[in-house]
Amino acid sequence: MGGRSRKPTGEFVDRIDDRGVRAGKRRRAEPVDSEPTRTGRVLANYGIQCLVRFEQEAPVRLPIPRHLSAVAGDIVVCDDEFVREIRPRLAVLARADLTRSQILAANIDRVVLVQSAADPPYRDGFTDRYQVFAAVMGLPLVLVLNKIDRAEPGVIDLARRHEAYGVDVVCVSATHGDGLDDLAALMREGTSVLSGHSGVGKSSILARLLPESAIVVGEMNATTGRGRQTTTTARAYPFGDGFVIDTPGVRQFSLIGVEPTHVVRAFADIAAIAAECRYRDCLHAGEPNCAVARAVKDGRLAPDRYASYRRIVESLQV
């Protein structure tokens, strides 16, 4: 099926997967009878049907019971007529609003955050939030900076500084094809999930990488100057020895299940300084004898880096 095996990632997955399968548990549509079953990968969920791919076969649509909520990337057990069971999920990508959370993709091996160098503008704090998610989930993060042919001054350097924090940064142009071979090489194995704001070019990149898939690409909105969202449901595509999952654009990225104390895991530079703090549970938000706050005053830690860390921690304390 592609991808490496990995144990369920514990509390974080368990907390956000309340509509899916909690780690180590299975949900069945009904007792499986004597009909032969086989295992497949969900490529997309269309409500009462799922598009399922079995090894080396063309995808088929199969009905799924209403009480099962399959998502792109799920491993399912099927017979010739129905999806019968969803296998335990490993790492998942979810989004949330004020009322509910929604799982977009399951069993992912890496997160590919797509941002644009212009229209819409690059947001460095958005990258930091995804790095927190990846760090907590134990997943690698790839930052794709699209539209480099129209990059605003300094944007590429701003994005590339995340390489020092363990992020793979790939600068591409979906229009001209620049950098796409480098991106493809990073996604050849395992399951990659593409995420990012609407209009940054996720579908355009996939259309270049998978020309045979007839992926729809939106045109520019003349009023806002931004691309229109074309992906309305998460969709997995076979790619190399694994899969790549395209997801709908997000307005904001909610770190569901992440505690304030988890944030520092994604800020290796801050974590190194934090070892000098007086209190082990210091959140670096005004506590006495905080080495991180002192490092900002001494010029050893960039104020904007510290400010991004503080914004994420405060967003989790609301």
Side-chain angles (χ1 to χ4, degrees):
M1 298 305 300
R4 59 184 185 277
S5 62
R6 189 174 52 245
K7 294 180 179 179
T9 49
E11 177 185 10
F12 186 63
V13 173
D14 192 59
R15 291 178 61 178
I16 61 178
D17 201 1
D18 53 358
R19 297 186 63 222
V21 181
R22 292 189 180 276
K25 297 182 180 179
R26 298 183 179 185
R27 296 182 305 158
R28 296 182 182 273
E30 56 188 72
V32 177
D33 54 26
S34 58
E35 294 184 33
T37 60
R38 53 181 177 161
T39 301
R41 171 89 62 162
V42 174
L43 300 185
N45 184 339
Y46 299 112
I48 61 173
Q49 289 185 325
C50 284
L51 184 65
V52 181
R53 180 181 185 267
F54 301 99
E55 288 287 356
Q56 308 304 318
E57 295 183 21
V60 295
R61 287 197 182 211
L62 289 174
I64 182 169
R66 293 185 181 277
H67 67 277
L68 291 182
S69 299
V71 299
D74 266 331
I75 307 299
V76 291
V77 178
C78 313
D79 57 26
D80 291 336
E81 296 183 353
F82 292 98
V83 173
R84 296 284 187 174
E85 178 187 342
I86 301 174
R87 286 284 175 86
R89 289 170 176 156
L90 303 182
V92 302
L93 178 71
R95 67 180 178 184
D97 55 27
L98 295 177
T99 59
R100 67 188 183 101
S101 63
Q102 177 188 14
I103 297 171
L104 298 176
N107 303 311
I108 59 179
D109 294 290
R110 74 182 53 81
V111 181
V112 180
L113 170 61
V114 181
Q115 292 222 56
S116 64
D119 302 323
Y122 173 75
R123 293 178 172 84
D124 203 52
F126 200 57
T127 301
D128 287 337
R129 291 187 72 85
Y130 270 81
Q131 194 167 358
V132 170
F133 167 76
V136 171
M137 295 294 282
L139 297 172
L141 176 66
V142 178
L143 170 61
V144 178
L145 186 66
N146 189 25
K147 307 181 186 180
I148 57 170
D149 49 308
R150 293 186 280 144
E152 298 175 357
V155 170
I156 293 177
D157 289 340
L158 188 60
R160 283 205 175 279
R161 76 174 185 171
H162 288 274
E163 291 175 325
Y165 311 133
V167 178
D168 286 311
V169 180
V170 186
C171 297
V172 308
S173 170
T175 302
H176 302 291
D178 300 335
L180 292 181
D181 288 343
D182 294 333
L183 176 59
L186 289 172
M187 300 194 303
R188 285 291 176 192
E189 296 183 357
T191 298
S192 305
V193 60
L194 270 62
S195 187
H197 291 299
S198 299
V200 296
K202 298 189 301 297
S203 296
S204 297
I205 290 171
L206 275 184
R208 278 273 192 168
L209 295 176
L210 299 166
E212 71 282 359
S213 297
I215 295 169
V216 178
V217 178
E219 297 180 355
M220 192 67 68
N221 186 308
T223 302
T224 65
R226 297 184 178 184
R228 291 184 173 91
Q229 178 170 311
T230 55
T231 303
T232 56
T233 187
R235 173 67 156 86
Y237 300 89
F239 187 79
D241 294 327
F243 294 85
V244 58
I245 302 177
D246 191 18
T247 61
V250 296
R251 292 185 178 181
Q252 61 182 17
F253 186 59
S254 299
L255 294 168
I256 313 165
V258 176
E259 300 294 337
T261 53
H262 295 161
V263 176
V264 75
R265 300 182 193 177
F267 290 78
D269 48 346
I270 293 178
I273 299 170
E276 305 170 12
C277 289
R278 178 177 179 180
Y279 300 106
R280 183 171 298 178
D281 60 349
C282 183
L283 286 177
H284 325 300
E287 296 92 337
N289 295 320
C290 174
V292 174
R294 188 164 59 247
V296 175
K297 292 181 180 180
D298 295 345
R300 293 183 290 126
L301 179 65
D304 61 336
R305 180 77 171 156
Y306 178 59
S308 181
Y309 164 84
R310 286 289 303 274
R311 280 193 298 271
I312 296 173
V313 169
E314 289 168 4
S315 73
L316 299 175
Q317 294 175 316
V318 176

